[in-house]
Amino acid sequence: MPKAKPQNPQARTIRISRLTLLGVLLLACCIAFLAAAEPFLFGWLLAVPIFLAVWILRVQTRVSETALQLRTLFRTRTVLWDEIQGLTFPKYRSARAVLTSGDQVPLPTVTFEDLPKITPLSNGRIPDIEASLQAERQEQRARSTPPQEKHSK
């Protein structure tokens, strides 16, 4: 009987939505018509939707309290939180982890919207931007509200 892998209940997996496989299926249908009409000319195109489906199912970033596990199409890499100095979010690309060595490691499928999923598991290494914004707004409201005067008779 195979052993079950121990699962970390606190870990979160960030991946491409499985709904994108519907688009791949539509592409496969379109290519199938071309391949049926001219198999010698267009038959090799059937490998494209297969490649895309494997890529969608494989690529992910797993965030735990101890490390980030980055899985691309051909390799898996684990980066400990101690090695990470911070995160950057380049425009139109996935996030990157800036390591203490100065190198940058791409985080597959991670975007700025995924930051609330990452922050609690980083044990304070990645600041909670949402909480900071709320605290700043409350401070601004407190400064802009005039103090209430007590009326004495």
Side-chain angles (χ1 to χ4, degrees):
M1 182 175 218
K3 286 186 177 180
K5 288 183 180 179
Q7 294 292 323
N8 184 349
Q10 295 293 346
R12 293 246 170 109
T13 302
I14 302 168
R15 60 178 63 151
I16 299 171
S17 171
R18 300 300 190 240
L19 195 58
T20 55
L21 290 172
L22 290 176
V24 173
L25 180 64
L26 181 64
L27 177 66
C29 291
C30 294
I31 291 175
F33 284 121
L34 285 173
E38 290 290 333
F40 295 111
L41 192 59
F42 298 115
W44 64 273
L45 286 175
L46 289 172
V48 173
I50 294 169
F51 175 80
L52 286 173
V54 169
W55 181 74
I56 289 167
L57 294 172
R58 171 99 176 123
V59 173
Q60 69 181 18
T61 297
R62 186 165 176 80
V63 183
S64 70
E65 292 179 342
T66 57
L68 297 174
Q69 184 182 27
L70 317 171
R71 196 165 84 176
T72 60
L73 189 60
F74 298 112
R75 76 185 269 221
T76 300
R77 179 177 180 180
T78 301
V79 180
L80 299 175
W81 280 111
D82 295 335
E83 300 174 33
I84 297 175
Q85 185 176 6
L87 299 179
T88 62
F89 295 90
K91 193 172 185 178
Y92 305 119
R93 294 185 359 211
S94 63
R96 299 192 180 287
V98 179
L99 304 180
T100 53
S101 65
D103 294 337
Q104 290 190 5
V105 179
L107 304 178
T109 69
V110 176
T111 62
F112 188 75
E113 287 79 28
D114 297 315
L115 196 56
K117 298 176 189 174
I118 297 171
T119 301
L121 295 172
S122 71
N123 292 325
R125 290 181 179 95
I126 305 298
D128 187 359
I129 294 174
E130 194 68 32
S132 301
L133 286 174
Q134 287 177 356
E136 187 177 313
R137 286 182 193 135
Q138 287 176 351
E139 186 179 308
Q140 284 178 351
R141 274 190 236 126
R143 277 190 264 146
S144 64
T145 309
Q148 294 183 358
E149 297 177 13
K150 293 185 180 179
H151 296 286
S152 58
K153 292 183 178 181

